[in-house]
Amino acid sequence: MKSILHQTLDRTGTDSVKWDGLERWFRLKSDVLPLWVADIDIRTAPAISEALAARAATGEFGYTLFSREAQRAVSSWYGRRHETEVDPNHVLFSNGVVPGLTQIVEALTETGDGVVIQSPVYPPFHELVTGLGRELFDAPLEQVGGRFEMDFVALEESMRQAKLFLLCSPHNPVGRVWTEEELQRVIELAKRHDVIVVADEIHADLTFPTQRHVALNRLDSNVITVSAPSKAFNIAGLFASYIICPDDVWRKRIIQVQNKHHVLPTPFANTAIVTAYTDPRAERWLDQLRAELEEQADYLVGRIQESLPRLTCFMPEASYLLWVDFAALGLTPDERKKWLQQDVRLFLSPGPPFGISGQTFERINFGTRRAILDEAIERLVRQIGETTQPEGNAFV
Ligand SMILES: Cc1ncc(COP(=O)(O)O)c(C=O)c1O
């Protein structure tokens, strides 16, 4: 198979959030390189494009149920890829992972109830909790040596006051794939404090070949899982996601909330889920993509360490997001944003919305062509070299 990541896909002019959104939302010129929102600059697996084209050719686009076939496809995928049994009847559709998490929090907690997160974490985790009037309890991750780890003391303290825990597994933005031991401790604590655990596993299928994702529902049959083929197969715009909820009472409450919000799949969502999870060609494509992403991560981390020693980052274990610390440049978040956009001409995901520890960080999306990454590095090297002084920096 030809390289997936190195095939050119020009997404400008396609109404792409990542590329066209820069001008439309932020009034930025087209020479600013977008390495932000989490999708990749590649076509999806050919098997998926073909199946969607065949579905389109039927001409039938009426209101659609979540298909039994899609529920079975999710179950067989978890069985095959994550060694865990999922009853197809426990699989609900959701129109995106964030909407799914929001529906769960709305269904299973009340206004004022506590919800735990572990910052730095994907900004909607913060926003959906506070937006629903629930109280946010943060148990920040700790930087230990060359990686981020859970702080179990802080986690237990937060769980004492909360009803639900939103776990990001693998973790966006720090790139950790949690070990079985870490996840066992999460489950123990949640049981001790009667906390519902909801695992967002959207990045699970992009775990690098040298790592192993442990599905939370393999360790405990009563957790809720929210996931999708959207990151793995780069089809986020189809909003084809699902919730796995084994508890009958919780599932009914989630369905009630979904009915209130008119949550239904598009006909393409069923086709995408079934093809992604059952067509062997799609599975082979994914395995190649995972290997290429690991190689790309290795390359990028190496280039940063070699050419940009004032930036700090750790090798991620999954997906295409790199959490990079710019602290040594001594810039405030606003100064850094201005410098990146106006001087370096890069658009990254700024750290502060990920949580308090994100003040000095930027998240880089490396799911793009090598030439774009090289250009981004060159731009940073040029600007950091040009604008910093040996004994300090020129920005403060
Ligand atoms: C951890 C995590 N959850 C959810 C999402 C978004 O999912 P969706 O677009 O399906 O709501 C992302 C996207 O980056 C993510 O990283």
Side-chain angles (χ1 to χ4, degrees):
M1 221 187 291
K2 276 191 353 209
S3 158
I4 297 172
L5 268 184
H6 302 168
Q7 289 177 52
T8 309
L9 177 59
D10 181 1
R11 301 176 64 202
T12 52
T14 63
D15 294 317
S16 138
V17 168
K18 190 179 184 181
W19 289 83
D20 298 322
L22 285 198
E23 209 228 311
R24 212 167 310 164
W25 288 354
F26 305 106
R27 303 266 161 257
L28 290 172
K29 295 234 171 64
S30 61
D31 68 321
V32 174
L33 279 183
L35 300 175
W36 62 304
V37 73
D39 59 23
I40 330 185
D41 298 326
I42 57 163
R43 291 187 173 81
T44 188
I48 295 179
S49 302
E50 287 162 24
L52 291 171
R55 182 63 184 81
T58 67
E60 193 280 306
F61 306 121
Y63 291 119
T64 303
L65 298 168
F66 191 37
S67 72
R68 299 288 302 152
E69 210 188 345
Q71 289 174 304
R72 282 196 294 269
V74 171
S75 165
S76 82
W77 183 258
Y78 266 78
R80 237 176 29 255
R81 303 280 298 197
H82 302 301
E83 302 155 37
T84 176
E85 258 178 55
V86 168
D87 180 338
N89 294 310
H90 296 168
V91 186
L92 304 177
F93 171 74
S94 81
N95 50 331
V97 165
V98 171
L101 297 173
T102 311
Q103 290 148 19
I104 293 165
V105 173
E106 183 177 343
L108 304 184
T109 63
E110 309 282 336
T111 307
D113 279 345
V115 176
V116 183
I117 60 164
Q118 292 171 306
S119 75
V121 72
Y122 182 52
F125 276 42
H126 305 248
E127 292 149 13
L128 77 91
V129 172
T130 52
L132 286 168
R134 274 54 168 173
E135 194 177 346
L136 195 66
F137 287 91
D138 190 4
L141 299 176
E142 294 178 306
Q143 222 170 290
V144 182
R147 68 174 193 175
F148 284 84
E149 293 186 356
M150 294 192 190
D151 176 344
F152 288 102
V153 174
L155 186 59
E156 175 153 31
E157 191 46 40
S158 297
M159 280 191 181
R160 267 187 235 284
Q161 307 166 77
K163 201 156 174 197
L164 190 143
F165 170 40
L166 291 177
L167 170 74
C168 195
S169 176
H171 192 93
N172 168 7
V174 307
R176 273 298 315 278
V177 170
W178 304 116
T179 62
E180 184 158 341
E181 292 70 37
E182 287 169 313
L183 295 174
Q184 287 287 15
R185 284 182 77 179
V186 165
I187 287 169
E188 264 166 48
L189 291 182
K191 281 202 193 318
R192 193 179 305 158
H193 298 288
D194 200 17
V195 167
I196 301 168
V197 186
V198 181
D200 173 341
E201 297 191 354
I202 194 169
H203 294 281
D205 293 311
L206 287 177
T207 295
F208 295 161
T210 54
Q211 305 292 327
R212 180 166 167 264
H213 168 75
V214 178
L216 198 69
N217 58 8
R218 188 164 74 71
L219 305 182
D220 180 357
S221 58
N222 208 30
V223 298
I224 303 178
T225 306
V226 189
S227 194
S230 52
K231 299 290 168 200
F233 294 93
N234 204 34
I235 49 174
L238 292 176
F239 292 97
S241 311
Y242 53 84
I243 296 169
I244 305 171
C245 178
D247 185 279
D248 295 335
V249 175
W250 294 348
R251 207 169 54 255
K252 276 198 191 108
R253 294 200 343 230
I254 297 167
I255 291 171
Q256 277 168 1
V257 168
Q258 293 194 325
N259 289 342
K260 188 175 89 180
H261 295 297
H262 286 240
V263 175
L264 278 177
T266 68
F268 295 114
N270 282 330
T271 306
I273 290 174
V274 170
T275 311
Y277 285 174
T278 62
D279 189 314
R281 286 182 301 154
E283 202 163 336
R284 281 198 297 277
W285 180 94
L286 174 62
D287 286 333
Q288 182 177 332
L289 176 62
R290 292 165 55 229
E292 289 187 22
L293 285 175
E294 181 162 26
E295 204 187 306
Q296 182 102 315
D298 209 37
Y299 175 77
L300 179 59
V301 171
R303 289 282 328 258
I304 290 177
Q305 284 168 349
E306 180 193 292
S307 313
L308 294 161
R310 297 176 74 193
L311 307 187
T312 309
C313 58
F314 308 138
M315 179 68 188
E317 296 166 343
S319 211
Y320 44 80
L321 305 170
L322 188 68
W323 190 233
V324 183
D325 194 352
F326 283 67
L329 301 192
L331 302 174
T332 65
D334 280 345
E335 287 166 341
R336 196 172 63 244
K337 178 175 158 190
K338 213 166 137 208
W339 171 70
L340 281 167
Q341 292 178 16
Q342 295 182 2
D343 300 337
V344 188
R345 307 214 60 79
L346 283 185
F347 198 87
L348 310 178
S349 299
F354 290 79
I356 190 78
S357 65
Q359 292 300 311
T360 58
F361 283 79
E362 297 284 329
R363 194 192 68 180
I364 299 181
N365 176 346
F366 59 85
T368 191
R369 295 188 295 288
R370 190 63 65 86
I372 290 182
L373 281 190
D374 283 336
E375 174 62 26
I377 300 272
E378 290 315 319
R379 289 183 188 192
L380 281 165
V381 168
R382 227 177 289 138
Q383 289 301 324
I384 290 179
E386 259 175 32
T387 48
T388 51
Q389 297 163 348
E391 69 282 7
N393 67 71
F395 314 112
V396 284

